[in-house]
Amino acid sequence: MAAAGCGSPTPEPADHPEFENMGIDVHSYSRPEEVAVRHLDLDIKVDFERNVIAGTASLQIDNKTQSDQLHLDSRGLTIQAVRLEDADNQVSQGSHEVGRDDPQLGQELILPIEPDTRTVHIDYESSPEAAALMWLGPELTADKAGPFLLSQSQAILARTWVPCQDSPKVRMTYAAQVEVPQGLMAVMSASNPQQVSEDGRYSFEMPQPIPSYLLAIAVGKLEFQSLSPRTGVYAEPSVLERAAWELADTEKMVAAAEKLYGPYQWERYDMIVLPPSFPFGGMENPRLTFLTPTMLAGDRSLVALIAHELAHSWSGNLVTDSTWNDFWLNEGFTTYIEHRIMEKVYGDEVEEMLAVLELEALRESLASDFEDARETWLYLDLQGRNPDDGMNSVAYDKGHFFLRMVEETVGRERFDPFLRGYFDHFAFQSVDTAQFVAYLRDNLMAGDEQLAQDLRIDEWVYGPGLPENCPEPQSTALQQVEAQLQALNQGTAPADLDTEGWTTHHYLYFLRNLPQDLSEERLAGLDAAFSLSETGNSEILCQWLGVAVEHDYRAADQALEAFLSRQGRRKFLMPLYGALVDVGRGDDARRIYDSAKFGYHSVSRNSVEGLLN
Ligand code: BES
Ligand code: ZN
């Protein structure tokens, strides 16, 4: 279908076959409109001998339609027993049956319930292969002092360690009793301990209702350091001080976000710096952002990641996308807010530099990464696909520039209160794309025909690529980098370039825009002048190693192999393995992968394997 013309009324779901699934979560077997889970009590033991989580999940339900069945998501769970508890706390034996089964979606659990059933108790055990969980031996941790467990539930992996209604449309509160080996600390996306318990038992509470993809746990030799009365960081002892230094601006960021979008609703904002196997930069687990250690650059230059995960406390955790087709409502809004926080804390120059870099990458990605233009709509169609496929520049960056366009068109004096009102209005609820567009129409456009034409909402949301009214950020800092790129092109030796005062992002822009034609000598000159192969800055290193592979600069091979072997962040693995395959070094890629994969989480393994096969 062609994009709807500018200014035409927003298409309604019913008019368009593409919108058949609007608001329907095709990635969950659950039926929350019949029976909804409202609260989860977990009583579990973390077993590092067998690499399983075992115990009881007790689900309090709201049976809205007098249904005689509860439908849950599970994947690879062993269900040992089911008990039903009624309003008078009478417990009777229950049962379960497996319905549909699918490699991605897992097994549909069908549990017969009685009209007066209030709580369903499920004794279960996860599989050692549970895709959300990564069980690390001490050798994969910083201090090598004990084993480590970390989880990654988004998008549809919570069901591999907890039987639940694994859909972002369903919210529940939760509490957990967790037993771990003595000497280890357990933390969750909930109220957390700050000290190791004597007996290895911990209790958690999450009194605000959350969707299942925000269920999270980490267990290891951890310590806590406070950063401000309501923020702090967990890490292994040898990492803690560096982490606390890097994250020192967190409180300023929380305060900046609150000024824009209202009170922080989750009490504490803590972070945990995980072992390098964590597959993402960050994950917005409520009260406890999960972080890669590769963001510890030593100069606080990569803290936009914190602004991003913190922003999810509004966009995502407070107001949640209804389905993974609406993923841009989480990530596009979050990327927009991330930029607003960065601007407030570090100034426009810094923010605009980030925006220019982002738009450059977005344009490149739109030009080459998508086979089907449908994939470049903000509103996705992920039926039959892994929702992870939606994690690309469209949801994040096209989403961000869409909101920035609306902001620039109506002005901040109108847009800021609008967005704040949106978070207030939909707080602790889930929203689909059509609902957001309707809210925007009613509350911002309010019948203004001219404005409707200027915004081109349909083109952005239900159309491909970047519409013409996309904002164009400007960065004078990057113009200076342009000048040095020109000098380089005209023969100036790398060591003679004027790079005084350059930060990480100057270098990233520089490396991304190097001329195509680079001799080995030139590459060696760049490497020597800026110590690129040796840099401890993971973003710069990744960018440089990509250049090195592309130009067959073999002097960087050792650094490449070391980098791919010491961390498992998908964002760094994919371009580098991809570059090796592209230049015909698939055999090298496979060899490195085979020895490094033990340090990669299943999310990263699946992506890299997809590329190598
Ligand atoms: N929520 C995402 C991570 C995610 C998305 C995990 C989809 C699984 C499925 C997180 O907030 C995120 O966006 N992380 C980015 C941060 C970056 C854009 C600043 C990352 O890890 O790269
Ligand atoms: Zn995000």
Side-chain angles (χ1 to χ4, degrees):
M1 182 193 100
C6 88
S8 65
T10 302
E12 291 298 332
D15 303 339
H16 290 263
E18 285 87 352
F19 302 151
E20 217 168 36
N21 286 331
M22 180 67 74
I24 296 173
D25 185 354
V26 296
H27 296 105
S28 173
Y29 297 123
S30 66
R31 302 181 183 183
E33 60 294 338
E34 297 173 7
V35 185
V37 172
R38 297 291 186 216
H39 178 81
L40 161 70
D41 271 303
L42 270 181
D43 186 349
I44 52 176
K45 191 174 161 190
V46 175
D47 183 343
F48 280 98
E49 238 102 81
R50 294 189 305 134
N51 291 357
V52 302
I53 282 180
T56 304
S58 299
L59 308 172
Q60 290 175 22
I61 58 172
D62 173 10
N63 190 343
K64 301 172 185 171
T65 56
Q66 278 80 53
S67 172
D68 56 8
Q69 289 180 335
L70 168 64
H71 292 247
L72 298 177
D73 295 296
S74 76
R75 189 175 138 197
L77 301 178
T78 303
I79 308 298
Q80 289 142 342
V82 177
R83 291 177 301 282
L84 305 181
E85 185 176 336
D86 67 19
D88 302 323
N89 305 105
Q90 295 299 309
V91 178
S92 61
Q93 200 184 325
S95 65
H96 81 283
E97 195 184 301
V98 173
R100 285 167 290 175
D101 193 347
D102 175 275
Q104 300 272 1
L105 303 181
Q107 298 82 39
E108 175 181 30
L109 291 184
I110 305 170
L111 310 164
I113 53 175
E114 303 292 335
D116 62 352
T117 302
R118 293 290 177 278
T119 305
V120 177
H121 302 275
I122 304 172
D123 297 342
Y124 77 101
E125 191 169 290
S126 65
S127 141
E129 277 76 52
L133 304 178
M134 186 164 184
W135 303 84
L136 304 171
E139 70 286 356
L140 290 170
T141 67
D143 292 353
K144 310 191 175 12
F148 205 103
L149 167 68
L150 63 87
S151 72
Q152 171 56 44
S153 296
Q154 198 182 11
I156 54 169
L157 303 180
R159 65 191 69 176
T160 70
W161 66 287
V162 183
C164 61
Q165 293 185 316
D166 198 7
S167 166
K169 287 176 88 136
V170 184
R171 302 182 95 84
M172 62 190 177
T173 53
Y174 84 88
Q177 306 292 327
V178 178
E179 191 187 332
V180 304
Q182 271 181 26
L184 300 187
M185 196 191 287
V187 289
M188 295 188 81
S189 48
S191 60
N192 275 307
Q194 294 183 347
Q195 243 133 35
V196 176
S197 87
E198 300 265 295
D199 59 0
R201 289 172 197 273
Y202 295 89
S203 316
F204 301 88
E205 238 168 295
M206 171 42 81
Q208 290 89 357
I210 59 161
S212 56
Y213 76 87
L214 296 175
L215 287 170
I217 186 167
V219 180
K221 281 262 180 207
L222 291 167
E223 285 180 359
F224 172 78
Q225 186 165 325
S226 169
L227 297 171
S228 76
R230 61 172 167 177
T231 69
V233 58
Y234 296 82
E236 292 181 68
S238 73
V239 178
L240 191 59
E241 219 168 295
R242 262 194 315 141
W245 186 87
E246 203 90 28
L247 302 172
D249 287 339
T250 305
E251 175 60 40
K252 284 187 211 160
M253 292 189 179
V254 182
E258 285 189 311
K259 256 191 139 159
L260 287 164
Y261 306 115
Y264 179 75
Q265 300 267 14
W266 309 88
E267 298 169 44
R268 294 194 55 86
Y269 182 76
D270 293 317
M271 296 153 285
I272 177 171
V273 177
L274 294 158
S277 295
F278 185 57
F280 294 108
M283 176 65 211
E284 67 271 26
N285 297 131
R287 292 185 189 216
L288 184 66
T289 283
F290 278 30
L291 294 174
T292 174
T294 63
M295 64 85 55
L296 304 175
D299 60 4
R300 299 184 183 151
S301 63
L302 303 179
V303 295
L305 177 63
I306 307 303
H308 180 96
E309 303 313 334
L310 170 66
H312 275 304
S313 306
W314 287 263
S315 45
N317 299 4
L318 186 61
V319 178
T320 306
D321 55 11
S322 242
T323 77
W324 299 118
N325 289 337
D326 309 294
F327 186 52
W328 75 282
L329 296 178
N330 276 13
E331 298 299 344
F333 280 58
T334 293
T335 305
Y336 171 80
I337 296 175
E338 166 195 337
H339 281 259
R340 295 297 302 273
I341 295 172
M342 291 302 287
E343 181 193 307
K344 260 196 182 314
V345 178
Y346 301 102
D348 311 0
E349 268 284 324
V350 167
E351 185 281 325
E352 283 296 272
M353 186 148 83
L354 296 170
V356 169
L357 276 160
E358 183 183 312
L359 185 56
E360 182 185 41
L362 170 60
R363 289 206 164 108
E364 269 168 35
S365 163
L366 287 170
S368 55
D369 293 349
F370 301 95
E371 272 162 34
D372 182 347
R374 176 67 183 87
E375 291 175 61
T376 70
W377 294 21
L378 287 177
Y379 177 62
L380 297 173
D381 179 8
L382 294 168
Q383 172 129 49
R385 300 182 56 179
N386 186 330
D388 268 16
D389 292 354
M391 197 193 178
N392 57 48
S393 56
V394 172
Y396 286 75
D397 306 331
K398 180 178 174 180
H400 162 210
F401 280 99
F402 166 69
L403 294 174
R404 180 167 162 154
M405 179 279 296
V406 180
E407 175 214 297
E408 288 185 3
T409 309
V410 303
R412 285 187 176 178
E413 21 356 305
R414 278 174 73 190
F415 191 62
D416 290 357
F418 162 77
L419 209 49
R420 177 168 177 171
Y422 167 73
F423 293 131
D424 288 344
H425 186 81
F426 290 107
F428 297 108
Q429 296 177 46
S430 300
V431 174
D432 65 39
T433 297
Q435 283 175 297
F436 168 71
V437 171
Y439 186 85
L440 180 75
R441 215 192 296 120
D442 294 347
N443 293 277
L444 197 70
M445 291 153 71
D448 182 339
E449 261 314 304
Q450 185 57 48
L451 180 59
Q453 278 192 25
D454 293 345
L455 293 179
R456 308 190 186 201
I457 304 291
D458 302 345
E459 245 186 281
W460 278 88
V461 178
Y462 305 113
L466 269 187
E468 260 175 35
N469 62 349
C470 182
E472 203 59 64
Q474 303 291 337
S475 163
T476 44
L478 293 182
Q479 282 158 16
Q480 285 165 28
V481 181
E482 283 289 351
Q484 296 310 305
L485 281 163
Q486 266 186 22
L488 184 76
N489 267 324
Q490 287 157 5
T492 305
D496 296 332
L497 293 173
D498 179 9
T499 58
E500 216 192 289
W502 280 19
T503 63
T504 296
H505 296 96
H506 294 83
Y507 283 105
L508 288 176
Y509 188 80
F510 179 76
L511 291 171
R512 277 207 212 156
N513 291 287
L514 283 173
Q516 255 318 301
D517 171 28
L518 284 170
S519 67
E520 171 141 15
E521 196 196 333
R522 231 27 208 334
L523 289 156
L526 288 164
D527 197 2
F530 308 118
S531 305
L532 294 168
S533 296
E534 273 106 67
T535 177
N537 185 304
S538 58
E539 294 281 352
I540 294 177
L541 185 60
C542 181
Q543 196 72 45
W544 163 246
L545 293 172
V547 171
V549 173
E550 196 191 330
H551 292 88
D552 204 34
Y553 176 66
R554 292 304 186 94
D557 269 10
Q558 238 187 350
L560 172 69
E561 193 160 338
F563 186 55
L564 291 173
S565 304
R566 71 168 176 262
Q567 55 80 35
R569 185 172 172 186
R570 185 169 71 171
K571 174 185 166 188
F572 295 148
L573 303 182
M574 293 301 280
L576 295 177
Y577 280 112
L580 284 170
V581 170
D582 286 348
V583 300
R585 294 179 64 192
D587 288 349
D588 281 341
R590 230 155 271 126
R591 178 182 53 77
I592 298 172
Y593 177 72
D594 279 334
S595 86
K597 67 179 179 204
F598 304 100
Y600 299 167
H601 186 278
S602 74
V603 163
S604 291
R605 283 195 196 195
N606 288 336
S607 300
V608 176
E609 278 171 23
L611 197 144
L612 296 180
N613 295 327

